[in-house]
């Protein structure tokens, strides 16, 4: 009976782990949100929310940003690094195997004109018992680090897409404002022409001409600022309405975040 005492002791030690178990902190949050998702939407729709606008130019900009943004590339590399660390730490609980092989050629001492060949082949396995749970605690730590890295990458992705969409819609707004201002200027110029003709014919006072002239001047002074606003964004957002983009062009890793 006493010969089983070491084995029982090892089993008891193996069931113990260093340090207390992680306890998730309590959050005073509601169980669900009233309008967490739009009607008939899925998680994939929320990850590709910009596609609901049906704008090929916006799709191209988002795809280019996800594939070429330096911060996004660094975030994805950190995820890969964290996953490799977790995989290596998990391997510490598995048995390890080692194999060796050798070959040698030496002259036969009994016969001068002959040689002998020696082949050697060996293999060994080993397994280290995680008595106090140090390796398992390391795995838990690396898994938590991976989750934190993925959350950080998701935050980078969200911020990037928000910046791209905001800049794109600001550019569209500036273009529309410029178009409306130019149309308004043409209408005001027509009104000025009519006012001048009516004043010349004696059907309208000089005040109507002055008011029409003032409106034209005000609109003309506003147009250069709109042109400058559109021009400053034009290099990054070139019109590409003719592009036919396919779904799934985003970076494969970032699309899963």
């Amino acid at each position: 009976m006493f010969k089983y005492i070491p084995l029982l002791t090892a089993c008891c030690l193996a069931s113990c782990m260093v340090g207390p178990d992680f306890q998730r902190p309590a959050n005073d949050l509601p169980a669900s949100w009233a309008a967490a998702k739009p009607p008939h939407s899925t998680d994939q729709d929320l990850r590709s929310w910009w596609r609901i606008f049906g704008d090929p130019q916006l799709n191209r900009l988002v795809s280019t940003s996800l594939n070429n943004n330096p911060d996004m590339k660094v975030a994805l590399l950190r995820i890969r690094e964290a996953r490799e660390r977790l995989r290596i730490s998990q391997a510490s609980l598995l048995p390890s195997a080692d194999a060796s092989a050798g070959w040698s050629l030496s002259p036969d001492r009994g016969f001068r004109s002959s040689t002998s060949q020696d082949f050697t082949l060996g293999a060994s396995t080993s397994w280290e018992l995680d008595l106090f749970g140090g390796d398992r605690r390391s795995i838990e730590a690396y898994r938590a680090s991976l989750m934190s890295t993925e959350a950080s990458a998701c935050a980078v992705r969200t911020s990037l897409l928000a910046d791209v969409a905001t800049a794109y819609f600001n550019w569209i707004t500036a273009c529309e404002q410029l178009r409306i201002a130019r149309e308004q200027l043409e209408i005001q110029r027509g009104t000025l022409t009519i006012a001048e003709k009516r004043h010349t014919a004696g059907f309208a006072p000089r005040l109507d001409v002055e008011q029409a002239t003032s409106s034209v001047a005000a609109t003309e002074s506003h147009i250069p600022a709109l042109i400058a606003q559109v021009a400053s964004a034009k290099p990054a957002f070139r019109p590409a309405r003719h592009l036919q983009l396919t779904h799934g062009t985003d970076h494969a890793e970032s699309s899963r975040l």
Side-chain angles (χ1 to χ4, degrees), residues 9-17 129-134 136:
T9 303
C11 292
C12 292
L13 292 175
S15 63
C16 301
M17 294 182 66
L129 182 64
D130 188 18
L131 292 177
F132 298 101
R136 282 172 285 176

Side-chain angles (χ1 to χ4, degrees), residues 12-234:
C12 292
L13 292 175
S15 63
C16 301
M17 294 182 66
V18 177
D21 294 333
F22 172 75
Q23 299 294 333
R24 186 181 297 273
N27 295 323
D28 297 332
L29 298 176
S32 61
W33 299 98
K37 295 181 181 179
H40 309 293
S41 65
T42 62
D43 292 338
Q44 183 62 34
D45 295 333
L46 295 179
R47 287 193 294 268
S48 303
W49 54 266
W50 62 89
R51 296 191 182 279
I52 65 176
F53 297 101
D55 193 326
Q57 172 72 353
L58 179 59
N59 295 341
R60 184 183 70 86
L61 292 172
V62 169
S63 177
T64 302
S65 300
L66 290 174
N67 292 327
N68 299 328
N69 182 262
D71 294 336
M72 199 67 216
K73 289 183 178 181
V74 171
L76 295 177
L77 290 177
R78 288 177 177 173
I79 290 179
R80 296 177 185 176
E81 180 183 4
R83 287 176 178 172
E84 288 299 321
R85 289 180 177 178
L86 176 60
R87 184 181 63 83
I88 294 173
S89 65
Q90 290 173 338
S92 62
L93 298 179
L94 302 176
S96 60
D98 186 18
S100 61
W103 173 77
S104 62
L105 180 64
S106 60
D108 194 345
R109 296 181 179 180
F111 302 92
R112 296 181 178 178
S113 60
S114 63
T115 58
S116 62
Q117 299 180 2
D118 295 328
F119 296 92
T120 59
L121 180 64
S124 62
T125 59
S126 62
W127 179 63
E128 183 178 352
L129 182 64
D130 188 18
L131 292 177
F132 298 101
D135 292 337
R136 282 172 285 176
R137 289 300 189 198
S138 297
I139 293 175
E140 292 179 0
Y142 283 121
R143 184 176 289 110
S145 177
L146 173 60
M147 295 175 62
S148 175
T149 304
E150 290 177 341
S152 298
C154 184
V156 172
R157 181 178 185 271
T158 302
S159 177
L160 171 64
L161 297 184
D163 291 341
V164 171
T166 300
Y168 177 68
F169 290 126
N170 287 340
W171 175 71
I172 290 181
T173 301
C175 290
E176 288 298 312
Q177 289 177 344
L178 178 60
R179 181 186 63 81
I180 294 173
R182 285 173 172 172
E183 291 180 356
Q184 183 179 3
L185 179 61
E186 292 299 323
I187 295 174
Q188 290 173 346
R189 285 174 176 173
T191 302
L192 175 59
T193 301
I194 295 174
E196 289 176 344
K197 291 181 179 180
R198 287 174 57 85
H199 174 67
T200 302
F203 293 104
R206 183 64 185 177
L207 180 61
D208 291 349
V209 177
E210 297 296 334
Q211 289 179 344
T213 303
S214 177
S215 298
V216 170
T219 304
E220 288 177 342
S221 64
H222 187 55
I223 287 179
L226 293 177
I227 294 177
Q229 186 176 354
V230 173
S232 63
K234 187 176 180 179

